[in-house]
Each structure stands twice: as C-alpha cells, then as structure tokens.
C-alpha cells in the first residue's frame, strides 16, 4: 500500500463529526475555491459524497415581498434535508407594490408623472442628445413629451372626434405597465393581511437548522444604480424595444425611499410597509428554534418612521425577540440609490430638502434601542452614511435631533464591539453609550456629529469610561466645536499619519496613555512639555 493510500485509509477511520468539520473548513475558503474543493471531495467515495451533500447547495437564498411565490417555493424545497442544511443566509427583499398606486389607472398615471418629471428635472436634460441610439434618459424624455402632447390633444378634441379614437403610444405603455403593476399588487396584497408574510417567513426560517444571517433590504444589494440606469442604449428606430424597457421600469416594485418622489405625500407615505421592521423580528422571536448570529437591516430610508408604533409593550417585545434569537451581531445600515434624493426639485431644478422631525427621529431611535437593549448582542454597527441622503435631508448637519444611539441602552449589556458611522449625538448620549459598553470593548466613531457639547470634553469622558478598552477609533469628527479649532490642531489630535491602523493622539489619550488631551493643548505647548 502506497503512502497516499495509507493516508486515505487513516482519514476514513475518523468519525463523521470530525470529517464534517474538515469539510466545512474547506467550504469556507471562498466561494469559487470552496465549491471546487467540495465537488472534488464528493468524488472520493460514497461516504464523502453524503457528507458533502449540503455544502453543494447555494448558501444564500432570497425571499421577495413583491413575489411571495419565492417564499412558497423555498418552503417546498426545504423538505429535502440536503437543501435545508446547506442554507446559511436568507435575504428578505421588501420592495413592494403600493396600494394607492395600484388602486386605479388614474393614480398610477399620476404617480408616474410625479416621479419621472422630477427625476428628469434632476438630470438637467431637455432633449435627447443622440439621434441614432437612445439612452434610457432619452426614452423617458420622449415618453413624457409624447404623453403631454396626447393629453393636450385629448383635452382640445371633442369626445367623438377621430383623433380621440387613436390611442397614442405613451398611453399604451401606461396601460400595459399598470396591468403588470396591478397583477403584482394583487398577489402581494394577500400576504400582507394579518401579518401573514412575517409569520410564514418565520415558519420557513425554522426549517433551516444552519441559518446564521438574516438581511432585510429593499434595493438590490451590491448595485446602487437608479431605475433604468443600467439599461443599454437601443436603436432609435426600435420602438418595440423602447416600449418593453419603459413598461418594465414603470411597473417595477417601489423602494421605500422612492415614495418621496410621488405627490401627494400624505397618500403615499402611509402605504410603505414600515410595520414589517417590527412584524418580522417579532414573528421570528416567537419561534424558539430560530437562532441567528447576525441580523442586518439595510432597507432605504422610509418617508415616515412614526408609523413604527413603538409603545412600551412593543419595545419590550422587540427586546425579548432579539434575545429569543440569541443575536450575536446587529447591523443597521440604510441604503440609497445613486440617483436618490432630495426627492423634490423646484422649477429651476434646484433641490428642495425634506423637513424630518425630531419626533420621527425619536421613533427610529426607539427602534434601535429596543433591539440593542437585548443583553445577548456583542457586536453592533450603526451606519447612517447613506441614510441622510436617502431621507431627503441636506446633510447630517441639518439633522433635527440625535439619531443612532439613545439614552436607554442597558448598563448590563454584553456589547464589546460598537461601530457608529455618520450618527449625530450629544455629549450626554455619548456618556451613556460609553458606560453601557462591556469592559475591554472596542469602540469606533466615524464621522460622528456632536450636536451638543464639545469634543474636548468628550475625549475626557471617554478616557474615564473606556481607559480599559481594547481599542478605540475616532475618525473625522464633526460638530462639537471642531469648526472653531484651527485645522492644524485638529490634525494634531485626530490624524493617524499614513497608517490607518496607527492610533491617533486622541485615541491614545482615550485609551489611557499618559499624555494630555490633544484638544486642550496647542501643538506648540505639547512640544514644549515633551521637551521638558
């Protein structure tokens, strides 16, 4: 027997549990490399083939609210243990068909005009720039011009004239698009009655013994392009291709942030299914067998967060749901499309920014607090870098109130890693936050806007509360008196040089190094002290 055969025979003597662990390790070595190795292992013998079965299955699946059939089909195939054992991540996409828009063709046409006339104004384009081929922007421009002309003609002509009997191309496109939109809505509507979608999702997830991550989003992950942006240019004479493109884009499901394009807002905002941010965690938490390592929420900014309806009882239920899932990591990172916001433009194409209220921000803060109140979460990341643009706010500097961390975080939490990006806080809220962190924790503050208080005082507070921390990172601070400090002083305090991993002087001070607060002493004074 050769040495290679001896090694193979020795491996086969190992129990299945150890072999499964080895195969799982191979499966984690990147998607392409891991899949290739797994396929080769399946060819060794029947025993290896059986142990590798569930590793061949795609680890990620998508459930789409606008296509509830995806949830039904997933539930059907999970009767096969090979498939159910192989799924690790589930992505729940919450783009949707709006009930007001689907109610009748008049509402649909009104929403199309409201959205695309404003989008066209933001493009600063008045007519097609090329005659031989047409981009998507060109197609939209021609469509809107034809629609306006047909509407004017119908108003000017009598009801029985020959001109009114001919249906223009633009109206045919709208009728087809509305039909497709209405069909999608009717299917979706049945799943939003009585929390059916959330409950069926929870029941399906309970059939996945190796589920580790749940991501809730509305836009296509990894693609932040707006509708039609990736459409290839078509020949200007190919009318059929142009019609198909327009029908497909106009009948697409809506992202949450897209509700801000359509007027009147009052009729539109109430139809955004924001309640699913509460219903889904509560439904999952009610099923004891579902354990998650990571819950990520990446839907675009909703037009109104007051609809969350977080009273004291719901707050408590959300915290219990997170604890029931035994969440290890929580991520809140709203996404936006590249052509999103500010959602309204004036006649001259200048942006009209939204007026978000402090009460609304308080509702969203309460939602985050409820989940982070769970004592099982060790790692949390809140990144609002895209939220402010998606929400229609001019910038984080115009935020009406604090957002990203509240005052009610548990002082007995197990948080040992917290990353806050583009959130706005006060010095008092940062103090509460620091006290809630577990000893030897990691804290990362990136582009945090300090609304009340000064960064000089915050550094002293963080030093007192976090001096036993393993790592602190503070980069690109905003507000808090930074604007009145000389640029050289700010660089002196927060610049880490050419190495992104090297701690800045402010970070070293917070972590307990025996140096002075870098915002209290000038650069010259610090140099003089060091020379003594």
């Amino acid at each position: 027997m050769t040495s290679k055969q001896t090694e193979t025979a020795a491996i086969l003597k190992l129990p299945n549990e150890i072999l499964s662990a080895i195969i799982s390790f191979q499966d984690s070595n990147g998607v392409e490399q891991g899949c290739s190795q797994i396929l080769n292992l399946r060819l060794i013998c029947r025993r290896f083939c059986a142990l590798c079965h569930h590793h061949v299955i795609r680890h990620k699946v998508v459930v789409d609210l606008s296509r509830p059939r995806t949830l039904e089909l997933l539930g059907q195939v999970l009767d096969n243990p090979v498939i159910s054992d192989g799924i690790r991540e589930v992505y729940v996409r919450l783009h949707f068909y709006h009930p007001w828009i689907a109610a009748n063709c008049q509402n649909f046409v009104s929403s199309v005009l409201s959205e695309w006339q404003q989008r066209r104004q933001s493009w600063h384009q008045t007519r097609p720039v090329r005659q031989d081929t047409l981009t998507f922007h060109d197609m939209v421009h021609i469509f809107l011009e034809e629609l306006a002309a047909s509407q004017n003609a119908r108003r000017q002509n009598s009801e029985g004239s020959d001109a009114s009997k001919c249906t223009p191309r633009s109206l045919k496109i709208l009728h087809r698009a509305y039909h497709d939109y209405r069909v999608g809505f009717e299917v979706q509507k049945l799943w939003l009655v009585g929390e059916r979608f959330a409950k069926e999702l929870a029941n399906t997830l309970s059939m996945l013994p190796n589920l580790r991550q749940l991501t809730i989003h509305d836009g296509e992950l990894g693609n932040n392009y707006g509708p039609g942006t990736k459409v290839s240019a078509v020949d200007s004479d190919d009318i059929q291709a142009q019609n198909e493109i327009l029908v497909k884009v106009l009948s697409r499901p809506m992202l949450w942030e897209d509700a801000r394009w359509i007027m009147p807002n009052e009729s539109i905002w109430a139809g955004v299914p924001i309640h699913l941010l509460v219903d889904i965690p509560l439904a999952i938490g009610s099923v004891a067998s579902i354990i998650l390592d990571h819950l990520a929420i990446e839907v675009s900014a909703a037009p109104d967060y007051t609809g969350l309806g977080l009273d004291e009882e719901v707050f408590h239920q959300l915290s219990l749901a997170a604890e029931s899932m035994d969440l290890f990591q929580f991520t809140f990172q709203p996404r936006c499309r590249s052509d999103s916001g500010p959602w309204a433009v004036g006649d001259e194409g200048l942006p009209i920014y939204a007026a978000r209220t402090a009460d609304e921000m308080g509702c969203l803060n309460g939602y985050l607090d409820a989940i982070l109140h769970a004592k099982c979460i060790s790692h949390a990341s809140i990144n609002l870098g895209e939220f402010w643009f998606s929400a229609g706010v001019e910038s984080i500097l115009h935020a009406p109130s604090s957002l990203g961390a509240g005052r009610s975080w548990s002082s007995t939490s197990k948080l040992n890693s917290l990353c806050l990006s583009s959130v706005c806080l006060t010095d008092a809220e940062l103090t509460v936050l620091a006290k809630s962190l577990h000893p030897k924790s990691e804290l990362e503050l990136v582009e945090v806007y300090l609304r009340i208080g000064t960064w000089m005082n915050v550094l002293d507070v963080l030093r007192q509360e976090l001096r036993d921390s393993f790592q602190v990172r503070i980069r690109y601070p905003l507000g808090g008196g930074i604007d009145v400090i000389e640029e050289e002083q700010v660089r002196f305090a927060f610049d880490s040089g050419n190495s992104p991993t090297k701690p800045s002087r402010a970070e070293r001070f917070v972590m307990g190094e025996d140096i002075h607060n870098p915002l209290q002493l000038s650069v010259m004074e610090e140099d003089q002290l060091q020379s003594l």
Side-chain angles (χ1 to χ4, degrees):
M1 181 179 292
T2 64
S3 59
K4 191 171 184 179
Q5 290 174 326
T6 302
E7 291 175 1
T8 302
I11 290 176
L12 292 175
K13 292 180 181 180
L14 295 173
N16 285 346
E17 293 79 8
I18 295 180
L19 288 176
S20 294
I22 295 174
I23 293 171
S24 298
F25 176 76
Q26 294 297 322
D27 192 22
S28 64
N29 291 336
V31 177
E32 295 183 3
Q33 180 185 0
C35 184
S36 175
Q37 293 172 340
I38 294 297
L39 292 176
N40 290 333
L41 287 172
R42 292 181 73 241
L43 300 177
I44 294 176
C45 62
R46 288 189 177 93
R47 185 181 174 199
F48 269 48
C49 183
L51 290 172
C52 292
H53 261 330
H54 67 277
H55 292 281
V56 181
I57 304 300
R58 184 182 180 188
H59 288 183
K60 303 177 182 179
V61 296
V62 177
V63 173
D64 193 330
L65 174 63
S66 69
R67 294 183 297 149
R69 181 67 174 161
T70 56
L71 183 55
E72 290 183 325
L73 293 175
L74 177 59
Q76 292 173 9
V77 301
L78 292 184
D79 290 335
N80 185 335
V82 173
I83 297 177
S84 60
D85 289 352
I87 296 176
R88 305 285 196 277
E89 303 174 19
V90 173
Y91 291 80
V92 182
R93 189 172 185 186
L94 298 183
H95 61 169
F96 68 105
Y97 295 103
H98 198 287
W100 184 87
I101 297 174
N104 54 64
C105 191
Q106 182 179 356
N107 287 0
F108 180 80
V109 174
S110 176
S111 68
V112 168
L113 287 174
S114 179
E115 175 182 4
W116 289 100
Q117 284 176 348
Q118 290 187 91
R119 286 186 184 272
R120 182 175 63 168
Q121 284 180 305
S122 67
W123 297 338
H124 301 289
Q125 179 180 337
T126 56
R127 58 186 175 82
V129 295
R130 290 184 292 178
Q131 299 299 322
D132 52 342
T133 60
L134 297 176
T135 66
F136 177 72
H137 287 186
D138 296 333
M139 288 181 249
V140 170
H141 176 85
I142 293 172
F143 166 76
L144 292 176
E145 292 298 309
E146 290 181 354
L147 181 60
S150 67
Q151 289 176 330
N152 290 333
R154 291 170 71 88
R155 283 193 294 265
Q156 293 173 1
N157 290 293
S158 63
E159 196 172 292
S161 67
D162 293 337
S164 64
K165 294 179 182 178
C166 179
T167 304
R169 180 183 80 109
S170 57
L171 292 182
K172 291 180 180 179
I173 291 172
L174 284 173
H175 291 157
R176 284 185 55 198
Y178 173 67
H179 174 269
D180 293 350
Y181 195 94
R182 178 75 187 187
V183 169
F185 170 76
E186 290 298 332
V187 176
Q188 170 197 282
K189 179 175 67 173
L190 300 175
W191 286 79
L192 288 179
V193 176
E195 303 175 2
R196 179 186 175 189
F197 180 80
K199 292 178 180 178
E200 289 292 334
L201 175 65
N203 290 334
T204 302
L205 297 182
S206 67
M207 301 168 63
L208 303 174
N210 295 315
L211 178 64
R212 295 294 176 264
Q213 177 173 329
L214 177 67
T215 300
I216 301 174
H217 64 108
D218 57 349
E220 183 179 348
L221 294 177
N223 176 8
N224 72 335
Y225 294 105
T229 306
K230 299 294 287 184
V231 172
S232 301
V234 299
D235 195 292
S236 58
D237 296 327
D238 193 346
I239 303 300
Q240 182 178 356
Q242 297 171 36
N243 293 350
E244 294 300 323
I245 290 171
L246 288 170
V247 168
K248 184 175 181 180
V249 173
L250 296 181
S251 62
R252 78 197 188 282
M254 174 188 290
L255 304 186
W256 289 19
E257 66 182 8
D258 286 347
R260 300 194 68 86
W261 283 116
I262 302 171
M263 306 295 177
N265 292 146
E266 294 76 12
S267 302
I268 297 298
W269 292 3
V272 178
I274 188 173
H275 58 87
L276 290 175
L277 290 182
V278 176
D279 294 346
I280 291 176
L282 290 183
I284 295 175
S286 67
V287 181
S289 61
I290 301 179
I291 304 298
L292 288 177
D293 287 343
H294 186 194
L295 172 62
I297 298 178
E298 301 186 14
V299 289
S300 58
D304 185 5
Y305 285 98
T306 57
L308 284 170
L310 282 180
D311 55 26
E312 186 175 347
E313 181 180 357
V314 176
F315 182 100
H316 183 62
Q317 289 175 348
L318 267 178
S319 297
L320 292 179
E323 291 183 0
S324 175
M325 292 180 244
D326 197 23
L327 272 184
F328 179 74
Q329 182 177 356
F330 174 68
T331 298
F332 185 80
Q333 185 173 4
R335 302 289 187 173
C336 74
R337 304 301 96 181
S338 59
D339 64 346
S340 65
W343 311 117
V345 291
D347 295 336
E348 299 179 356
L350 298 176
I352 302 173
Y353 293 102
R356 308 305 287 252
T357 66
D359 288 343
E360 185 186 357
M361 299 297 100
C363 290
L364 184 53
N365 253 342
Y367 178 79
L368 298 175
D369 284 352
I371 295 179
L372 291 170
H373 202 71
K375 297 179 178 59
C376 55
I377 298 177
S378 295
H379 302 271
S381 175
I382 299 175
N383 187 333
L384 303 181
E386 297 181 28
F387 168 82
W388 302 107
F389 196 62
S390 180
V393 180
E394 186 171 358
S395 75
I396 189 175
L397 304 181
H398 295 83
S401 66
S402 299
L403 181 61
R407 297 173 178 268
S408 60
W409 286 18
S410 173
S411 58
T412 59
S413 71
K414 293 185 179 179
L415 271 179
N416 54 37
S417 176
L418 176 63
C419 176
L420 299 177
S421 298
S422 299
V423 306
C424 53
L425 303 171
T426 67
D427 53 356
E429 289 162 345
L430 266 174
T431 301
V432 173
L433 181 153
K435 289 182 177 180
S436 69
L437 293 177
H438 196 265
K440 302 296 183 182
S441 59
E442 299 180 16
L443 175 64
E444 184 173 3
L445 305 175
V446 180
E447 293 185 342
V448 169
Y449 172 51
L450 194 63
R451 297 175 51 247
I452 299 175
T454 66
W455 279 104
M456 182 175 66
N457 292 336
V458 164
L459 292 183
D460 287 329
V461 171
L462 294 181
R463 177 184 174 90
Q464 179 180 349
E465 301 295 341
L466 300 176
R467 62 183 308 134
D468 293 330
S469 298
F470 177 71
Q471 184 177 3
V472 175
R473 187 169 184 260
I474 307 173
R475 300 296 162 93
Y476 315 113
L478 303 172
I482 290 294
D483 55 333
V484 298
I485 300 176
E486 293 184 3
E487 184 177 347
E488 183 182 9
Q489 182 81 25
V490 175
R491 285 200 307 266
F492 171 74
F494 296 102
D495 192 356
S496 61
N498 297 325
S499 174
T501 59
K502 179 182 177 181
S504 67
R505 186 173 292 272
E507 293 161 355
R508 288 160 48 201
F509 171 75
V510 169
M511 288 188 287
E513 188 171 325
D514 189 17
I515 58 176
H516 292 84
N517 187 325
L519 291 180
Q520 287 180 330
L521 295 179
S522 67
V523 180
M524 183 178 298
E525 289 173 332
E526 179 70 19
D527 291 340
Q528 291 174 350
L529 284 175
Q530 289 183 349
S531 64
L532 295 178

